[in-house]
Amino acid sequence: DVSILGSVDLTVDGDLSRSPTPRLSVGGGYMFLMNEVPFGGSADQQDASADIVFRVYGLSAEGTFLWTKTAAFNGQEARSDLGGTAMLSYLLPWFNLEASIRYSGTTTGVADISLLEHEWTGALSYYIAGDHNFKLQGAVMHNHVDDADGFFSGIISLQANL
């Protein structure tokens, strides 16, 4: 990752410092894995990723993109997958409460079969003592695959990082 505007602490989810200085970080990567398998053939794999993070005044916007491609081997079909996430959150200025919404989507392509999975998540996080290492979080998620009916789920967690 390269910080283009200011320094971005990527170990925390939101803009806990509520800095008035805009901060922007972008990153990317590529990997090629040449994997010879016993008795001939290969299972070569390529992966690429990109991410962007922007933070200012308690507002945090993040996005990721992922791609992977695996060659056919040992009778298995080649596959190509795409995925991405977009998240927007805001830390209230007078209270250590953060509201966030996130969208995630993935496609899996094997031969002529393609699956598209979506997930929407809304969350509230209360940072105890104003610290990312100790928070109480509640979230509601909606997940569905292709045109099938989706389902809702929820979670409440107390997170403590040591």
Side-chain angles (χ1 to χ4, degrees):
D1 283 293
V2 176
S3 293
I4 295 173
L5 294 173
S7 178
V8 180
D9 183 358
L10 299 174
T11 63
V12 298
D13 294 330
D15 185 21
L16 294 180
S17 67
R18 296 181 178 97
S19 174
T21 303
R23 287 152 299 144
L24 177 67
S25 175
V26 295
Y30 175 79
M31 177 191 77
F32 178 78
L33 176 64
M34 188 184 312
N35 191 8
E36 298 294 323
V37 293
F39 311 112
S42 68
D44 295 347
Q45 180 176 338
Q46 298 178 70
D47 294 308
S49 64
D51 63 73
I52 186 167
V53 176
F54 177 77
R55 295 186 179 149
V56 67
Y57 284 117
L59 177 72
S60 180
E62 301 181 21
T64 60
F65 170 78
L66 305 166
W67 169 79
T68 185
K69 182 177 181 179
T70 305
F73 71 100
N74 290 346
Q76 295 186 8
E77 306 250 356
R79 64 182 291 150
S80 181
D81 304 320
L82 289 173
T85 300
M87 185 174 86
L88 184 64
S89 65
Y90 182 67
L91 184 66
L92 299 176
W94 60 89
F95 198 57
N96 288 329
L97 184 69
E98 180 181 50
S100 59
I101 187 166
R102 181 183 69 207
Y103 168 78
S104 297
T106 59
T107 64
T108 299
V110 178
D112 58 351
I113 300 170
S114 181
L115 292 175
L116 179 59
E117 183 174 351
H118 303 278
E119 179 182 282
W120 286 93
T121 303
L124 288 175
S125 301
Y126 175 66
Y127 296 98
I128 300 167
D131 189 344
H132 181 265
N133 291 321
F134 194 40
K135 69 180 177 181
L136 178 63
Q137 185 174 44
V140 175
M141 294 151 276
H142 182 264
N143 188 302
H144 69 277
V145 176
D146 281 337
D147 293 329
D149 290 335
F151 62 91
F152 282 94
S153 61
I155 187 169
I156 295 177
S157 64
L158 179 62
Q159 178 180 331
N161 298 328
L162 303 176

